[in-house]
Amino acid sequence: MGQGDTGRWISPHRLGRSGHQRIRLDPSNAELLGCRLGERTYLFKKYDSDARRQIDGEALDALVGWRTGLPAGQRRRLDAGAAWPHFGVGSPDQPQGVLVPYADPEFLMPNPTGPGLVPRTLGWLVPPSADQPRPRRRPVPLRTKLSVLAEVIDTVLWFHDHDVVVNDVQFENVLFSTQGHGTYFVDCDSMVVAGRIVSPPAAPAYLNEVVRASPGPSRATDFAKIAWLAVWVVLDQPDLLEIPNRLRSGLAGMLRADVAEFLLAAHSAADFGPAHTDRWRRLVREWRRPESSSGAGPGGRSGPPLPGERPGWASPALLDTVLDRLDQAHRVIVGPAADRGVPPACPVAPDQRNLR
């Protein structure tokens, strides 16, 4: 298949620089480059030579094309919740990478160790491991954790309803909103559309350790990983590779015995079926944060601050809106949030987990 056959592939020569530095995705096999295509700003996820040899270009072409084939309303839903590739770079025969959008500023947070903003990944819901450089944070209320997990589950269910397996479900690949409503999935070229795998799975060692003996990515393995994430987040213990009886009892006390039993059973990635899907949907309804009495709705929330929020300080999303209005008032031509120093939503966390 040639480069111009589908309209979904862009020559790298058409990409302009947007002024961003290179971001190496470690331990991934790619780097991120800020770029422009016409008037749009993207991140060019550029595969290294090893990755290019392993990429199934036809599967990647189908993955990019899946988005364009969605009805407009469903495509807006996808774009609001995932950095799905808009274009391939190169050709299906010689894929060099993909162009992905930047995350909305609501999924970013002030950098606790320096200037600027960083992605608010699920990793910020749990304490860092002893060997991680990330600063410690205040404990996150259980109600907030469950609300975020409900949004993660809801998005994964949406993908499953559209015959997409998320595959690489992990702390670093999901961002959550300052408002506590909504999540943003990154590293979407690792997802599996209609059973077609773009490249060999590259799950972190700790997930390979706990989700064993899986024949390949499936809805069951997605939810086995979510079950582990939920246990780690609820118990505030991301280093667990086994769950002793005392912690099982603690989990039951925090979530109800039937919910704890369901999560622990889901770890095995076996015996998955419609009944399990319905149970996950019920968890979304039970855990999702109710609307505040002020009627804030999906865009607002009440309750304790989330990681990265400072009481009395404007959220990144609000600051970005103010900047936009000031720019318009002074007739200053500016780029999107990415061009004002907002870092990209990328599959690299403030910390890289090594749970072995």
Side-chain angles (χ1 to χ4, degrees), residues 161-184:
D161 289 342
H162 290 79
D163 200 20
V164 175
V165 173
V166 176
N167 186 16
D168 199 6
V169 181
Q170 56 166 299
F171 282 110
E172 293 83 3
N173 282 354
V174 184
L175 283 56
F176 65 96
S177 166
T178 57
Q179 308 302 322
H181 289 275
T183 51
Y184 195 76

Side-chain angles (χ1 to χ4, degrees), residues 31 35 39 51 87 96 104 120-121 198 208 211 218 240 274 284 337:
E31 63 180 353
C35 66
E39 299 300 317
F87 297 96
Q96 298 184 34
D104 189 278
R120 183 188 287 99
T121 69
V198 172
N208 287 330
V211 183
S218 67
L240 292 175
V284 172

Side-chain angles (χ1 to χ4, degrees), residues 204-228:
Y206 66 91
L207 280 176
N208 287 330
E209 180 74 16
V210 296
V211 183
R212 301 183 180 94
S214 170
S218 67
R219 299 182 184 194
T221 58
D222 275 358
F223 279 117
K225 294 171 184 178
I226 287 178
W228 273 104

